[in-house]
């Protein structure tokens, strides 16, 4: 019998993030350097307050994250079965 993986088994643990006032160029450089398509946006106290993605940057040409970040959506918890997480993503509820 196959053991299901959990989200914690496959998720990234070391996260690259930017602050709310990150310059456009810093965001672009981080996306390119780390070969990722989005970055969490952190408040001064370390709370995640949004996400800035390649699509956000392409859609709007502005100098800072505050203007381009996507509202944060909550993903599955690390203990969530990976099949259940994939089903949620496939449903279109999570991007």
């Amino acid at each position: 019998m196959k053991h299901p993986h959990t989200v914690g088994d496959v998720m990234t643990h070391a996260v690259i993030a930017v602050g709310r006032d990150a310059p456009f160029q810093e965001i672009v450089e981080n996306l390119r350097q780390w070969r990722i398509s989005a970055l969490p946006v952190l408040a001064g106290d370390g709370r995640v307050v949004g996400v800035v993605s390649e699509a956000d940057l392409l859609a709007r040409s502005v100098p800072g994250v505050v203007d381009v970040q996507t509202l944060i959506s909550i993903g599955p918890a690390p203990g969530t079965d990976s099949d259940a997480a994939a089903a949620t993503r496939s449903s279109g509820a999570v991007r």
Side-chain angles (χ1 to χ4, degrees):
M1 181 168 171
K2 180 174 110 174
H3 289 269
H5 292 285
T6 66
V7 172
D9 295 333
V10 297
M11 69 185 223
T12 300
H13 294 275
V15 178
I16 306 303
V18 293
R20 292 183 69 117
D21 59 351
F24 188 91
Q25 189 60 38
E26 178 185 336
I27 299 164
V28 172
E29 288 173 11
N30 274 305
L31 294 174
R32 184 188 56 73
Q33 177 182 352
W34 297 102
R35 298 180 179 190
I36 53 179
S37 60
L39 290 162
V41 179
L42 305 180
D45 62 2
R47 288 178 302 113
V48 177
V49 294
V51 175
V52 63
S53 69
E54 290 174 332
D56 293 328
L57 298 178
L58 290 172
R60 303 175 197 108
S61 180
V62 296
V65 173
V66 171
D67 299 324
V68 296
Q69 72 184 3
T70 301
L71 293 177
I72 186 166
S73 63
I74 303 301
T80 303
D81 178 285
S82 61
D83 291 335
T88 300
R89 182 178 170 104
S90 295
S91 73
V94 176
R95 188 176 114 179

